[in-house]
Amino acid sequence: MPSVTTIVAQALHTAATVLREDAPQDGMAFGELWERVFARSPGLRDDWAQAMPDSPPAAGARFTPVGLD
């Protein structure tokens, strides 16, 4: 299994890509973001579960774009 740092970095990189390419202007539900992250990087789901067992995604939270151009 990769290190926790590597797993978190992969998740953040993939999440940034999803948000840049797929997020609507009003944001994206956190649970939906995670599902898209795991769809783009399927091996990350198991690695994340092993590395962060007490950190499930918060399905009700939302990301709101803040002009990261």
Side-chain angles (χ1 to χ4, degrees):
M1 180 176 91
S3 72
V4 171
T5 303
T6 299
I7 293 166
V8 170
Q10 288 173 338
L12 289 173
H13 180 268
T14 305
T17 300
V18 169
L19 289 171
R20 183 180 70 242
E21 295 177 0
D22 300 348
Q25 290 296 75
D26 62 347
M28 178 181 288
F30 193 58
E32 181 182 352
L33 172 64
W34 272 111
E35 286 308 311
R36 290 183 186 213
V37 166
F38 293 145
R40 283 183 186 243
S41 185
L44 186 57
R45 184 183 300 269
D46 291 337
D47 287 345
W48 186 269
Q50 288 178 9
M52 308 292 222
D54 297 328
S55 180
R62 292 189 71 77
F63 284 112
T64 303
V66 292
L68 300 174
D69 298 322

